[in-house]
Every structure is written in C-alpha cells, then in structure tokens.
Amino acid sequence: MRRNIKVSIIEDDETLRDGYAFLIGATEGYEVVSSYCSYDEAAKKIATDKPDVILLDIELPGVNGIDAIPKLKKLLPNCYILILTVYESEKQVFNALANGASGYLTKNTPSAKIIESIKEVRDGGGPMSINIARLVIRSFQKNQESPLSKRETQILELIGEGKSRGQIAAELFIDLETVRSHIKNIYLKLDVNSRADAIKLARQNKLI
C-alpha cells in the first residue's frame, strides 16, 4: 500500500491555513504534517517534518514566498513546492518558477484541483491554474525578433499595466531619469509619440 502524501502548509491567513489543513487532512491518501504562518517559523522545524509537498503562499510576513523557495529547497532538497497565492503577475509567476517552485495555483482554484495538484507535483508534474498556464504560454509566444531590449520590454509592460513613471522607477529600482530615457528609446524604436500608441503597437506585434 502506498503511503500518504505528507504536506506542510505555509500561509499567513489563519482561516485559509486551517481550511487547507482540513481539506487535505480529510482526503484519503493525504496527511498534513505541519502548518506555519511564515517561512521564518517554518525554517525552525520544517526539515524534521519531512513533507513531500509544501503549499506556499507568496505574501508572507518576513521572508516572502518567492525568496523562501530556494531556502526551503536547501532544507528539503527532495520536497516539491506548490505556490498557492492571489498573485498572478507574470513577474511573480516566473520568479517563483525560476526559484524552484514545481507548480503555481491561484487561490480561486477549486479544492478538488488543489488536492489533485499536490499529487501531480509529487509525481513530477507541473500543475498550474488555467489563467497562469495562459500567461506562461502567452509569454513564450511573444515576438522573439523584438527591437526592444529586455529592460525596455519590462518598462512597456508596466506602462501597459497603468503604472506611472515614478511607480516603474520604484518597482525596477532605477531612477526616474533612467525610466524617461528608456521610454524615449521605446517611442523612437516603435516610431510612436504616446503611451497609448506604444502599447497598442506592442500588443499588435506581440512585443509584450
């Protein structure tokens, strides 16, 4: 008989944490070995819990979920990490996957899919919510022949999200003058004179 899949939960919202623990614990073949409100709490003990799969939120007090992934992988090299979060920005998804997460679900995922995804990651799969899978596919379908540099593409994507120059500077840790200079280059390369035209042209040509 195959042993239960052992799961640890790291989620700062107590109601959600208890809900996941109940859902998983009540399912045959699954066992919740521990639950924590932060990575900092989990780091003290999770290695001795020996989970097969960790359900991990991104927005945590102290060390955030994305930064916690490599630390958890170091503590538990054979454990699979499944992100379960409200965040679905391309940046968060790719940072999580690049850091070693095996799957990425958003919190509106039906409970049956969460259970199925825990088994799927344990068996070597890479489960994703439909919206996340679409985002990943769309990213790979971007025009590889783009005239824009990686940084210019990043800035144009943030402009497309409605961010101001100041917000872009803060998010990318660059000064306002650098943002202005990049935007000027974007307009020149795309031969446009406004944000709206730059976004429209970039979307039509799959540059973002």
Side-chain angles (χ1 to χ4, degrees):
M1 197 176 101
R2 197 157 192 193
R3 68 172 179 82
N4 286 350
I5 300 172
K6 296 202 271 187
V7 181
S8 285
I9 300 163
I10 306 177
E11 161 64 67
D12 66 326
D13 183 314
E14 192 183 351
T15 311
L16 279 175
R17 194 168 65 243
D18 292 348
Y20 295 147
F22 177 77
L23 166 74
I24 296 160
T27 306
E28 197 179 333
Y30 295 77
E31 179 191 347
V32 176
V33 288
S34 55
S35 62
Y36 301 97
C37 61
S38 68
Y39 164 75
D40 306 281
E41 280 301 308
K44 299 171 191 169
K45 191 176 167 292
I46 201 163
T48 58
D49 300 331
K50 296 191 170 69
D52 300 305
V53 177
I54 297 170
L55 271 192
L56 178 65
D57 185 21
I58 285 181
E59 188 65 33
L60 294 169
V63 176
N64 71 45
I66 287 173
D67 293 338
I69 298 166
K71 297 175 190 290
L72 289 164
K73 295 291 277 182
K74 203 169 177 183
L75 288 170
L76 293 152
N78 300 318
C79 181
Y80 298 97
I81 294 171
L82 181 57
I83 298 288
L84 189 53
T85 185
V86 291
Y87 292 98
E88 45 186 282
S89 79
E90 190 172 311
K91 185 178 160 196
Q92 303 272 30
V93 174
F94 281 99
N95 284 347
L97 297 174
N99 273 5
S102 296
Y104 198 110
L105 303 177
T106 46
K107 283 184 176 168
N108 56 3
T109 303
S111 49
K113 169 78 172 165
I114 295 174
I115 293 290
E116 189 187 302
S117 298
I118 292 169
K119 183 177 185 303
E120 200 180 321
V121 286
R122 200 278 315 266
D123 293 343
M128 292 183 198
S129 299
I130 292 169
N131 45 337
I132 300 299
R134 277 199 202 107
L135 186 147
V136 171
I137 290 164
R138 198 169 65 235
S139 170
F140 282 111
Q141 287 172 341
K142 276 181 195 165
N143 190 339
Q144 301 303 311
E145 304 299 313
S146 173
L148 304 178
S149 70
K150 198 172 175 186
R151 179 61 101 191
E152 287 163 356
T153 304
Q154 213 175 9
I155 287 171
L156 194 50
E157 279 169 350
L158 291 171
I159 291 171
E161 288 171 21
K163 302 265 169 77
S164 69
R165 291 175 184 192
Q167 286 170 317
I168 292 169
E171 193 163 323
L172 299 180
F173 304 106
I174 54 179
D175 60 51
L176 203 52
E177 209 35 63
T178 308
V179 176
R180 284 201 186 101
S181 161
H182 279 307
I183 291 173
K184 200 171 126 189
N185 287 337
I186 291 167
Y187 286 8
L188 278 170
K189 285 181 179 179
L190 299 183
D191 194 20
V192 294
N193 299 305
S194 71
R195 276 176 168 236
D197 286 345
I199 293 160
K200 188 178 167 190
L201 191 71
R203 285 187 177 145
Q204 279 171 351
N205 292 289
K206 294 192 171 169
L207 306 179
I208 58 171

